[in-house]
Amino acid sequence: MGTPLPDGVDTGVPPDHAGQPATRVTAVFTVAPAKQSPNLRTTDDRTALAQYMRALVVMFASARRFDPDLPLELITDQLPGSPYAEDFAALGVAVSLVPFTHRPPLSFSATFNASLYMLDALAAQRPDERVLYGDPDAVFVRSPRALAQSVPLDTIGAYPISATTETDHNGMTVAQAAGLYGELDGTARATPFTYYGGECYLVGPGQLEPLRESAERAYTAARQWAAEGRPTYPRTEEHLFNYALRNIPVTPIDQHVARIWTSARGRAVPAHVDRLTVWHVPAEKGAGLDRLYAACIDPTGWFWNADDHVFRAACARELGIRRRRPRRLARDLIGMLARRLPRR
């Protein structure tokens, strides 16, 4: 990868505002079997790893495009191989090796066991930092600082998801979660709560310890419930954090972040997509994110040199969000028709 940054760029840790802790953009990644990630387009482990690495490079490159001074960090338990190690170095991404001590047995869950690595990332977060945690399959289409500056320092930034009490989130409905959280609190009451997605969290010094402690408590209970053979228990970091966030001040960041579905099986593109800061595109690993990877490793191309409006339009096209290519549009139309056909 050609270095896209001008020579001499300082990628240290500047404060967002005078007297405020600096914001660091961090992705958390551990290698996992491809079958653990249902949104991948492959079942081959090596191919899956390469898709995730390319997605991570895109995530960091999109953040760096808007802010040459922003601290970037990859937390992982295995050093990236070539060419991705060189890509991260060119972007000024610090790679921090953190052991996956919260790794559950494979029997714990059929999917997303790797998400529990977030507990180790939290344990490694320094108490003077403010960290914006983003999923590998996310793209910044505005400066991450815009999101950070919208969240008061005494709150956590989290992405609320519209859902009914019976909406299933990775094996647990909101109603089931409320009951289990009440049991864990010793109240035996299913207390309603706002459900937050796991694609993005902004965690500052004041909320770090309460989040850690509550998430650890939920994880300990989940391991016990799994060992007892219960069919329902918190399985992902999203489940654990939702337990914690019921009792921590939260600023919703849904005006900056959205989970955007772009698969042939289903599309969900919010009306305010052009005003967002972060596009989370879980269906684009091995597809649109691969195309953005090819764009971001070219320091002379549109990814680095187009104005912001053109950049967003080009990303939207490559990710199938707007102005889809003819082949992709045809595929999506066929998928839509197939969903409407009656099942026999």
Side-chain angles (χ1 to χ4, degrees), residues 242-261:
N242 270 289
Y243 169 72
L245 293 176
R246 299 168 315 137
N247 298 309
I248 298 174
V250 174
T251 295
I253 56 175
D254 48 324
Q255 293 305 305
H256 285 277
V257 179
R259 186 180 298 178
I260 302 171
W261 288 106

PDB file of all heavy atoms in Angstrom, residues 242-261:
ATOM      1  N   ASN A 242     -25.962  -4.533  27.052  1.00  0.00           N
ATOM      2  CA  ASN A 242     -27.324  -4.064  27.287  1.00  0.00           C
ATOM      3  C   ASN A 242     -27.726  -4.238  28.746  1.00  0.00           C
ATOM      4  O   ASN A 242     -28.493  -3.435  29.283  1.00  0.00           O
ATOM      5  CB  ASN A 242     -28.305  -4.782  26.356  1.00  0.00           C
ATOM      6  CG  ASN A 242     -28.485  -4.040  25.054  1.00  0.00           C
ATOM      7  OD1 ASN A 242     -29.093  -2.969  25.009  1.00  0.00           O
ATOM      8  ND2 ASN A 242     -27.939  -4.588  23.977  1.00  0.00           N
ATOM      9  N   TYR A 243     -27.198  -5.267  29.387  1.00  0.00           N
ATOM     10  CA  TYR A 243     -27.431  -5.402  30.829  1.00  0.00           C
ATOM     11  C   TYR A 243     -26.817  -4.215  31.565  1.00  0.00           C
ATOM     12  O   TYR A 243     -27.446  -3.595  32.434  1.00  0.00           O
ATOM     13  CB  TYR A 243     -26.828  -6.706  31.342  1.00  0.00           C
ATOM     14  CG  TYR A 243     -26.801  -6.800  32.847  1.00  0.00           C
ATOM     15  CD1 TYR A 243     -27.972  -6.981  33.576  1.00  0.00           C
ATOM     16  CD2 TYR A 243     -25.598  -6.665  33.542  1.00  0.00           C
ATOM     17  CE1 TYR A 243     -27.950  -7.036  34.967  1.00  0.00           C
ATOM     18  CE2 TYR A 243     -25.567  -6.730  34.928  1.00  0.00           C
ATOM     19  CZ  TYR A 243     -26.748  -6.918  35.638  1.00  0.00           C
ATOM     20  OH  TYR A 243     -26.720  -6.962  37.006  1.00  0.00           O
ATOM     21  N   ALA A 244     -25.594  -3.865  31.191  1.00  0.00           N
ATOM     22  CA  ALA A 244     -24.885  -2.793  31.886  1.00  0.00           C
ATOM     23  C   ALA A 244     -25.493  -1.426  31.613  1.00  0.00           C
ATOM     24  O   ALA A 244     -25.601  -0.586  32.521  1.00  0.00           O
ATOM     25  CB  ALA A 244     -23.416  -2.799  31.468  1.00  0.00           C
ATOM     26  N   LEU A 245     -25.911  -1.187  30.387  1.00  0.00           N
ATOM     27  CA  LEU A 245     -26.335   0.154  29.992  1.00  0.00           C
ATOM     28  C   LEU A 245     -27.690   0.558  30.566  1.00  0.00           C
ATOM     29  O   LEU A 245     -28.073   1.729  30.471  1.00  0.00           O
ATOM     30  CB  LEU A 245     -26.368   0.263  28.462  1.00  0.00           C
ATOM     31  CG  LEU A 245     -24.999   0.189  27.784  1.00  0.00           C
ATOM     32  CD1 LEU A 245     -25.154   0.217  26.266  1.00  0.00           C
ATOM     33  CD2 LEU A 245     -24.084   1.305  28.254  1.00  0.00           C
ATOM     34  N   ARG A 246     -28.398  -0.381  31.193  1.00  0.00           N
ATOM     35  CA  ARG A 246     -29.662   0.000  31.836  1.00  0.00           C
ATOM     36  C   ARG A 246     -29.427   0.946  33.010  1.00  0.00           C
ATOM     37  O   ARG A 246     -30.324   1.719  33.363  1.00  0.00           O
ATOM     38  CB  ARG A 246     -30.401  -1.248  32.357  1.00  0.00           C
ATOM     39  CG  ARG A 246     -30.784  -2.256  31.280  1.00  0.00           C
ATOM     40  CD  ARG A 246     -31.226  -3.564  31.921  1.00  0.00           C
ATOM     41  NE  ARG A 246     -30.303  -3.933  32.969  1.00  0.00           N
ATOM     42  CZ  ARG A 246     -30.660  -4.394  34.162  1.00  0.00           C
ATOM     43  NH1 ARG A 246     -31.930  -4.559  34.466  1.00  0.00           N
ATOM     44  NH2 ARG A 246     -29.762  -4.703  35.061  1.00  0.00           N
ATOM     45  N   ASN A 247     -28.236   0.885  33.598  1.00  0.00           N
ATOM     46  CA  ASN A 247     -27.966   1.658  34.808  1.00  0.00           C
ATOM     47  C   ASN A 247     -26.809   2.645  34.640  1.00  0.00           C
ATOM     48  O   ASN A 247     -26.215   3.081  35.624  1.00  0.00           O
ATOM     49  CB  ASN A 247     -27.658   0.703  35.971  1.00  0.00           C
ATOM     50  CG  ASN A 247     -28.836  -0.206  36.292  1.00  0.00           C
ATOM     51  OD1 ASN A 247     -29.958   0.263  36.473  1.00  0.00           O
ATOM     52  ND2 ASN A 247     -28.588  -1.509  36.329  1.00  0.00           N
ATOM     53  N   ILE A 248     -26.481   2.969  33.390  1.00  0.00           N
ATOM     54  CA  ILE A 248     -25.416   3.924  33.083  1.00  0.00           C
ATOM     55  C   ILE A 248     -26.005   5.000  32.176  1.00  0.00           C
ATOM     56  O   ILE A 248     -26.757   4.678  31.254  1.00  0.00           O
ATOM     57  CB  ILE A 248     -24.231   3.217  32.388  1.00  0.00           C
ATOM     58  CG1 ILE A 248     -23.611   2.154  33.302  1.00  0.00           C
ATOM     59  CG2 ILE A 248     -23.169   4.230  31.968  1.00  0.00           C
ATOM     60  CD1 ILE A 248     -22.532   1.332  32.637  1.00  0.00           C
ATOM     61  N   PRO A 249     -25.696   6.278  32.394  1.00  0.00           N
ATOM     62  CA  PRO A 249     -26.218   7.318  31.499  1.00  0.00           C
ATOM     63  C   PRO A 249     -25.744   7.100  30.058  1.00  0.00           C
ATOM     64  O   PRO A 249     -24.549   6.890  29.809  1.00  0.00           O
ATOM     65  CB  PRO A 249     -25.636   8.609  32.082  1.00  0.00           C
ATOM     66  CG  PRO A 249     -25.297   8.288  33.490  1.00  0.00           C
ATOM     67  CD  PRO A 249     -24.904   6.837  33.507  1.00  0.00           C
ATOM     68  N   VAL A 250     -26.685   7.114  29.118  1.00  0.00           N
ATOM     69  CA  VAL A 250     -26.390   6.849  27.711  1.00  0.00           C
ATOM     70  C   VAL A 250     -26.884   8.014  26.861  1.00  0.00           C
ATOM     71  O   VAL A 250     -27.990   8.514  27.058  1.00  0.00           O
ATOM     72  CB  VAL A 250     -27.063   5.540  27.237  1.00  0.00           C
ATOM     73  CG1 VAL A 250     -26.859   5.349  25.724  1.00  0.00           C
ATOM     74  CG2 VAL A 250     -26.509   4.340  27.990  1.00  0.00           C
ATOM     75  N   THR A 251     -26.064   8.421  25.911  1.00  0.00           N
ATOM     76  CA  THR A 251     -26.494   9.353  24.866  1.00  0.00           C
ATOM     77  C   THR A 251     -26.716   8.564  23.592  1.00  0.00           C
ATOM     78  O   THR A 251     -25.782   7.927  23.089  1.00  0.00           O
ATOM     79  CB  THR A 251     -25.438  10.442  24.627  1.00  0.00           C
ATOM     80  OG1 THR A 251     -25.314  11.249  25.802  1.00  0.00           O
ATOM     81  CG2 THR A 251     -25.841  11.330  23.454  1.00  0.00           C
ATOM     82  N   PRO A 252     -27.926   8.550  23.043  1.00  0.00           N
ATOM     83  CA  PRO A 252     -28.172   7.825  21.796  1.00  0.00           C
ATOM     84  C   PRO A 252     -27.374   8.453  20.649  1.00  0.00           C
ATOM     85  O   PRO A 252     -27.298   9.679  20.528  1.00  0.00           O
ATOM     86  CB  PRO A 252     -29.677   7.983  21.572  1.00  0.00           C
ATOM     87  CG  PRO A 252     -30.236   8.364  22.908  1.00  0.00           C
ATOM     88  CD  PRO A 252     -29.161   9.150  23.588  1.00  0.00           C
ATOM     89  N   ILE A 253     -26.798   7.604  19.802  1.00  0.00           N
ATOM     90  CA  ILE A 253     -26.000   8.103  18.684  1.00  0.00           C
ATOM     91  C   ILE A 253     -26.607   7.679  17.348  1.00  0.00           C
ATOM     92  O   ILE A 253     -25.905   7.577  16.340  1.00  0.00           O
ATOM     93  CB  ILE A 253     -24.531   7.641  18.796  1.00  0.00           C
ATOM     94  CG1 ILE A 253     -24.433   6.112  18.905  1.00  0.00           C
ATOM     95  CG2 ILE A 253     -23.844   8.300  19.969  1.00  0.00           C
ATOM     96  CD1 ILE A 253     -22.999   5.587  18.891  1.00  0.00           C
ATOM     97  N   ASP A 254     -27.938   7.469  17.326  1.00  0.00           N
ATOM     98  CA  ASP A 254     -28.583   7.034  16.096  1.00  0.00           C
ATOM     99  C   ASP A 254     -28.648   8.126  15.029  1.00  0.00           C
ATOM    100  O   ASP A 254     -28.997   7.833  13.882  1.00  0.00           O
ATOM    101  CB  ASP A 254     -29.984   6.486  16.376  1.00  0.00           C
ATOM    102  CG  ASP A 254     -30.806   7.381  17.270  1.00  0.00           C
ATOM    103  OD1 ASP A 254     -30.243   7.996  18.185  1.00  0.00           O
ATOM    104  OD2 ASP A 254     -32.024   7.481  17.054  1.00  0.00           O
ATOM    105  N   GLN A 255     -28.326   9.363  15.371  1.00  0.00           N
ATOM    106  CA  GLN A 255     -28.204  10.390  14.341  1.00  0.00           C
ATOM    107  C   GLN A 255     -26.833  10.352  13.665  1.00  0.00           C
ATOM    108  O   GLN A 255     -26.609  11.055  12.682  1.00  0.00           O
ATOM    109  CB  GLN A 255     -28.449  11.778  14.949  1.00  0.00           C
ATOM    110  CG  GLN A 255     -29.873  11.989  15.421  1.00  0.00           C
ATOM    111  CD  GLN A 255     -30.892  11.722  14.325  1.00  0.00           C
ATOM    112  OE1 GLN A 255     -30.829  12.292  13.245  1.00  0.00           O
ATOM    113  NE2 GLN A 255     -31.834  10.814  14.606  1.00  0.00           N
ATOM    114  N   HIS A 256     -25.938   9.527  14.193  1.00  0.00           N
ATOM    115  CA  HIS A 256     -24.597   9.380  13.620  1.00  0.00           C
ATOM    116  C   HIS A 256     -24.323   7.979  13.082  1.00  0.00           C
ATOM    117  O   HIS A 256     -23.448   7.820  12.221  1.00  0.00           O
ATOM    118  CB  HIS A 256     -23.539   9.703  14.688  1.00  0.00           C
ATOM    119  CG  HIS A 256     -23.391  11.152  14.976  1.00  0.00           C
ATOM    120  ND1 HIS A 256     -22.617  11.998  14.219  1.00  0.00           N
ATOM    121  CD2 HIS A 256     -23.939  11.926  15.949  1.00  0.00           C
ATOM    122  CE1 HIS A 256     -22.680  13.224  14.712  1.00  0.00           C
ATOM    123  NE2 HIS A 256     -23.469  13.214  15.762  1.00  0.00           N
ATOM    124  N   VAL A 257     -25.010   6.974  13.594  1.00  0.00           N
ATOM    125  CA  VAL A 257     -24.692   5.576  13.296  1.00  0.00           C
ATOM    126  C   VAL A 257     -25.958   4.860  12.832  1.00  0.00           C
ATOM    127  O   VAL A 257     -27.042   5.110  13.364  1.00  0.00           O
ATOM    128  CB  VAL A 257     -24.134   4.868  14.549  1.00  0.00           C
ATOM    129  CG1 VAL A 257     -23.816   3.403  14.249  1.00  0.00           C
ATOM    130  CG2 VAL A 257     -22.906   5.589  15.080  1.00  0.00           C
ATOM    131  N   ALA A 258     -25.807   3.949  11.868  1.00  0.00           N
ATOM    132  CA  ALA A 258     -26.934   3.090  11.489  1.00  0.00           C
ATOM    133  C   ALA A 258     -26.412   1.748  11.004  1.00  0.00           C
ATOM    134  O   ALA A 258     -25.348   1.659  10.381  1.00  0.00           O
ATOM    135  CB  ALA A 258     -27.797   3.737  10.404  1.00  0.00           C
ATOM    136  N   ARG A 259     -27.180   0.718  11.316  1.00  0.00           N
ATOM    137  CA  ARG A 259     -26.951  -0.625  10.768  1.00  0.00           C
ATOM    138  C   ARG A 259     -27.710  -0.689   9.454  1.00  0.00           C
ATOM    139  O   ARG A 259     -28.939  -0.589   9.423  1.00  0.00           O
ATOM    140  CB  ARG A 259     -27.449  -1.675  11.747  1.00  0.00           C
ATOM    141  CG  ARG A 259     -27.143  -3.105  11.348  1.00  0.00           C
ATOM    142  CD  ARG A 259     -27.687  -4.075  12.398  1.00  0.00           C
ATOM    143  NE  ARG A 259     -27.076  -3.874  13.714  1.00  0.00           N
ATOM    144  CZ  ARG A 259     -27.415  -4.565  14.796  1.00  0.00           C
ATOM    145  NH1 ARG A 259     -28.382  -5.487  14.726  1.00  0.00           N
ATOM    146  NH2 ARG A 259     -26.822  -4.331  15.954  1.00  0.00           N
ATOM    147  N   ILE A 260     -26.990  -0.847   8.359  1.00  0.00           N
ATOM    148  CA  ILE A 260     -27.566  -0.775   7.021  1.00  0.00           C
ATOM    149  C   ILE A 260     -27.475  -2.153   6.374  1.00  0.00           C
ATOM    150  O   ILE A 260     -26.378  -2.698   6.207  1.00  0.00           O
ATOM    151  CB  ILE A 260     -26.821   0.269   6.170  1.00  0.00           C
ATOM    152  CG1 ILE A 260     -26.868   1.642   6.847  1.00  0.00           C
ATOM    153  CG2 ILE A 260     -27.406   0.350   4.775  1.00  0.00           C
ATOM    154  CD1 ILE A 260     -25.985   2.685   6.190  1.00  0.00           C
ATOM    155  N   TRP A 261     -28.622  -2.700   6.006  1.00  0.00           N
ATOM    156  CA  TRP A 261     -28.651  -4.021   5.373  1.00  0.00           C
ATOM    157  C   TRP A 261     -28.743  -3.851   3.860  1.00  0.00           C
ATOM    158  O   TRP A 261     -29.597  -3.126   3.362  1.00  0.00           O
ATOM    159  CB  TRP A 261     -29.807  -4.856   5.898  1.00  0.00           C
ATOM    160  CG  TRP A 261     -29.576  -5.313   7.309  1.00  0.00           C
ATOM    161  CD1 TRP A 261     -30.164  -4.853   8.436  1.00  0.00           C
ATOM    162  CD2 TRP A 261     -28.644  -6.328   7.719  1.00  0.00           C
ATOM    163  NE1 TRP A 261     -29.661  -5.503   9.543  1.00  0.00           N
ATOM    164  CE2 TRP A 261     -28.726  -6.408   9.137  1.00  0.00           C
ATOM    165  CE3 TRP A 261     -27.739  -7.153   7.042  1.00  0.00           C
ATOM    166  CZ2 TRP A 261     -27.950  -7.305   9.875  1.00  0.00           C
ATOM    167  CZ3 TRP A 261     -26.970  -8.045   7.787  1.00  0.00           C
ATOM    168  CH2 TRP A 261     -27.075  -8.113   9.174  1.00  0.00           C
TER     169      TRP A 261
END
